[in-house]
Amino acid sequence: MKLSVRIFSIMAIAGLVSCSDDELRTYDSLQQKNAVESVNDPYLLASIIKKTALFYQKMGFDNRMLPGAVQHMESNYQSGDNFYSGFKSPVNDMYTAMDILKLIDGGIGLAETRDSKTHQGIFKIFRVLLFSYMTDFYGDVYYSEALKAREGILYPKYDKQTDIYTGLLKELDEANALMAAGTETISGSYDLMFAGDKAKWQKFSNSLKLRLLMRASAKLPDAAAMISALANEPVLSEATENASISYIGTVGGDNGNSWTGGPLNWGTIDNFDTRRPAKTLVDKLTELNDPRMQIWFAPVEKPWTSDPAKNGVSFTTTDPNGYTYTSTWEYINRKNKDIAAYATKDILIDSNKVYVGFIAGMLSDWKNGNGHYDIAAGGTVGNFKVSKFSKLFREDKHPLLKAMVMNSDEVQFILAEAAAKGLISGGADAYYRKGVTNSLLRWGVSADAVAKYLAQPAIALPADKAGQLAKIADQKWISLFMVSAEAYLDLRRTRLPNIFNNGRLSGFPFPERYRYPGNELGQNKSAYDEGVSSLTPAVDDQFSKMWLLK
């Protein structure tokens, strides 16, 4: 569904701020009250969907920390995200999530007053989604006492992660029961995600529960039984069944109407060009002859060649979306003293390749990562020896550009993993192939190309369990491109694919969590101290392990 103009007034009514001191915490309660009394639950639904989807989208492209951590994207200029440096500092995403949760709890209260059971259930899905985000990234966080400022609780305690998971799974059961009992219709105009289709909301709820159960499957003693029970329930299963929203491509800025990388938001191309595909991802897609590569990435403008006959020869390519690119081969004359000196830095690699990625762990400087030896020929972000993102991602809107929260291919890969582990009956292959198919179709790959891709021996699942899990993880990691929050959490959980020592990352340990926001230490210290005490070791840094990881 497209975003409607009506939502913008809602956003103004319901604009919220992060808590940082007594005055702001008290003001939070007034804002929540005003938001609820100024609009009704269908209006709040539209705002909540939009805010949540954009929150997830920003982590997949705008902010380079998570895309860099999972080696989908590398920074080409002025950033330490290529080697996890963003994890060293406190992260305020907890407050961003809480801002949306204020609207959600307000919406639940309003829906209860109106006896809108279906809307109560939908709001609970988003409540679970955002609280799970908080606990998955930080560890212990406030949950049972959260959003109770109107009841006098200005400094909520942190709940144990195990208790939060128990509560979230219960809330999803409640959400399903409410939606099943609800008789009111959902406005197609304000339901930006599923156009008023309650059955899809129920599928989303079951799919989210499946995600959480798999994430905590090593910690919850009854996870296997609950996953098995869910295998018979409706979940997001078709390529068109995705928890995402489209852009309308009008007006830039913070309103979320336009894709971030488009000209309305980034008038200059420089910001766009600082983002480059990671060599890890490009190499994997090349190995698999994956058609998504031509959709996601542009050919190198001046590919290196070891064939002097190709020097200066230009060629043109057109991708499946109709975007055309021109490239000109450049001969690597390693006898040239300047080139020879540069080659000793182990940077001149990937010759004779049209698609080339930026090396993981490299300094985010355009002189590195397969950069041109002639510095003056580059420009600030002019690394023409590495692929850029496709022109698709330079649009203000496009049918393939979505703010994504959860896609059906992710769900199918979870079921494939569950089958490979024996948690559900049947083989993993059907789920695995459905996941691959849905991801390819979602990115506009033709049915014929999908069939050809699946027929490759390199795509087939091996017979052994370890081999199956590795292959499933590979394809799931690819499919989570632009859904970086989930890609990170899955990589952290499974340690698959094993990409942790790629490029120049061998000296950089993988981060396990976000550090708590700095304001928690200053304004909610007793809760903060209790939360830190649950970590192992009990230190608020990016390497301490939470309950899920112990």
Side-chain angles (χ1 to χ4, degrees):
M1 287 292 295
K2 291 184 177 180
L3 310 183
S4 72
V5 175
R6 188 71 172 272
I7 303 169
F8 308 149
S9 61
I10 301 166
M11 302 285 278
I13 292 170
L16 301 172
V17 295
S18 301
C19 43
S20 61
D21 56 27
D22 288 348
E23 183 179 355
L24 287 179
R25 288 178 183 270
T26 303
Y27 186 54
D28 282 344
S29 65
L30 296 176
Q31 286 192 306
Q32 183 188 48
K33 180 178 179 180
N34 290 338
V36 173
E37 292 177 350
S38 299
V39 295
N40 61 31
D41 42 324
Y43 294 168
L44 282 173
L45 175 62
S47 185
I48 288 163
I49 291 172
K50 182 178 179 183
K51 279 178 170 283
T52 304
L54 293 178
F55 173 57
Y56 271 78
Q57 182 271 315
K58 286 181 182 298
M59 289 180 285
F61 187 73
D62 301 30
N63 188 324
R64 288 169 280 181
M65 184 165 69
L66 293 179
V70 301
Q71 296 178 47
H72 284 165
M73 179 192 297
E74 300 293 325
S75 296
N76 190 45
Y77 184 66
Q78 292 185 347
S79 171
D81 290 327
N82 295 356
F83 36 85
Y84 318 129
S85 65
F87 288 84
K88 296 178 182 179
S89 303
V91 179
N92 288 332
D93 281 6
M94 190 160 81
Y95 293 158
T96 305
M98 287 301 297
D99 283 349
I100 306 171
L101 281 161
K102 293 166 194 172
L103 284 181
I104 292 170
D105 271 20
I108 290 173
L110 184 57
E112 287 174 347
T113 301
R114 292 160 52 89
D115 197 29
S116 302
K117 289 185 173 60
T118 300
H119 285 85
Q120 289 180 57
I122 293 172
F123 289 140
K124 277 186 174 288
I125 295 172
F126 283 100
R127 181 179 158 87
V128 170
L129 180 70
L130 289 165
F131 271 119
S132 67
Y133 175 87
M134 288 168 55
T135 190
D136 288 339
F137 274 88
Y138 291 95
D140 294 357
V141 292
Y142 27 73
Y143 173 61
S144 61
E145 290 186 356
L147 302 166
K148 295 186 182 295
R150 295 171 72 179
E151 299 173 29
I153 301 177
L154 301 181
Y155 302 99
K157 70 175 184 179
Y158 285 8
D159 293 87
K160 299 298 182 186
Q161 192 172 52
T162 178
D163 296 331
I164 296 172
Y165 257 77
T166 299
L168 295 177
L169 294 171
K170 180 182 177 183
E171 285 199 65
L172 285 175
D173 290 339
E174 293 169 354
N176 273 333
L178 285 163
M179 288 188 290
T183 57
E184 79 277 13
T185 59
I186 307 168
S187 168
S189 298
Y190 294 106
D191 180 359
L192 308 177
M193 194 161 276
F194 295 124
D197 189 337
K198 184 168 76 171
K200 288 183 179 177
W201 282 109
Q202 291 169 310
K203 289 182 177 183
F204 182 26
S205 179
N206 289 331
S207 300
L208 180 57
K209 185 176 181 181
L210 188 62
R211 174 196 275 177
L212 298 185
L213 285 171
M214 184 56 76
R215 185 163 296 150
S217 57
K219 303 296 292 185
L220 295 174
D222 53 348
M226 288 191 282
I227 290 173
S228 179
L230 268 179
N232 298 316
E233 296 296 324
V235 294
L236 300 174
S237 59
E238 301 306 316
T240 55
E241 293 180 338
N242 304 302
S244 61
I245 64 173
S246 301
Y247 297 87
I248 61 175
T250 60
V251 188
D254 295 332
N255 55 47
N257 283 355
S258 301
W259 170 254
T260 302
L264 282 173
N265 284 308
W266 293 347
T268 172
I269 196 70
D270 283 358
N271 201 6
F272 181 80
D273 283 349
T274 60
R275 290 157 174 77
R276 299 298 175 106
K279 177 175 167 59
T280 305
L281 181 56
V282 172
D283 286 357
K284 175 58 67 173
L285 296 178
T286 302
E287 172 193 334
L288 298 175
N289 296 307
D290 198 308
R292 286 169 289 194
M293 181 160 64
Q294 293 182 36
I295 296 170
W296 293 345
F297 310 134
V300 179
E301 294 175 20
K302 293 186 178 181
W304 291 120
T305 179
S306 56
D307 181 359
K310 278 189 175 182
N311 186 48
V313 176
S314 297
F315 62 96
T316 300
T317 59
T318 300
D319 72 15
N321 287 312
Y323 300 119
T324 299
Y325 307 89
T326 299
S327 303
T328 302
W329 291 101
E330 185 173 354
Y331 173 54
I332 308 177
N333 182 3
R334 295 186 182 273
K335 294 180 181 180
N336 179 305
K337 62 180 181 62
D338 294 325
I339 294 178
Y342 199 68
T344 59
K345 300 178 182 179
D346 193 29
I347 291 173
L348 295 184
I349 58 176
D350 290 328
S351 59
N352 302 310
K353 292 183 178 181
V354 176
Y355 293 91
V356 174
F358 198 104
I359 302 167
M362 293 286 283
L363 290 172
S364 51
D365 185 321
W366 59 273
K367 291 176 287 185
N368 294 296
N370 235 22
H372 198 277
Y373 75 94
D374 182 359
I375 294 174
T380 306
V381 289
N383 191 337
F384 42 70
K385 298 302 181 184
V386 173
S387 291
K388 298 179 182 180
F389 280 93
S390 163
K391 293 177 182 177
L392 166 68
F393 298 104
R394 186 60 181 152
E395 299 289 330
D396 292 314
K397 69 171 183 177
H398 190 280
L400 297 181
L401 292 179
K402 302 288 180 70
M404 297 177 281
V405 175
M406 188 177 202
N407 296 310
S408 62
D409 32 281
E410 178 194 342
V411 181
Q412 297 307 303
F413 287 126
I414 294 172
L415 291 169
E417 180 184 347
K421 290 180 174 178
L423 302 177
I424 60 176
S425 60
D429 191 66
Y431 293 120
Y432 165 75
R433 289 179 176 272
K434 183 70 169 173
V436 175
T437 298
N438 284 5
S439 177
L440 290 165
L441 291 175
R442 180 165 58 80
W443 283 104
V445 177
S446 70
D448 288 345
V450 171
K452 183 178 179 180
Y453 183 76
L454 290 173
Q456 297 180 105
I459 301 301
L461 278 185
D464 64 296
K465 176 182 173 181
Q468 289 185 353
L469 291 175
K471 188 75 72 173
I472 292 166
D474 265 8
Q475 285 291 338
K476 187 179 182 184
W477 170 72
I478 295 171
S479 78
L480 287 171
F481 176 69
M482 294 287 175
V483 194
S484 299
E486 291 311 310
Y488 165 78
L489 293 172
D490 220 53
L491 185 62
R492 185 185 72 176
R493 174 179 67 89
T494 66
R495 292 309 201 233
L496 294 171
N498 184 7
I499 60 176
F500 304 98
N501 291 317
N502 281 3
R504 300 191 174 188
L505 285 174
S506 59
F508 298 94
F510 189 74
E512 305 288 346
R513 61 181 290 273
Y514 280 170
R515 292 182 57 193
Y516 289 116
N519 284 341
E520 291 301 293
L521 176 60
Q523 301 296 329
N524 200 16
K525 190 174 186 305
S526 60
Y528 166 86
D529 288 343
E530 186 67 21
V532 172
S533 71
S534 293
L535 298 170
T536 302
V539 178
D540 183 18
D541 68 18
Q542 68 271 37
F543 303 121
S544 293
K545 292 187 181 295
M546 60 186 74
W547 169 78
L548 274 178
L549 305 176
K550 294 179 184 179

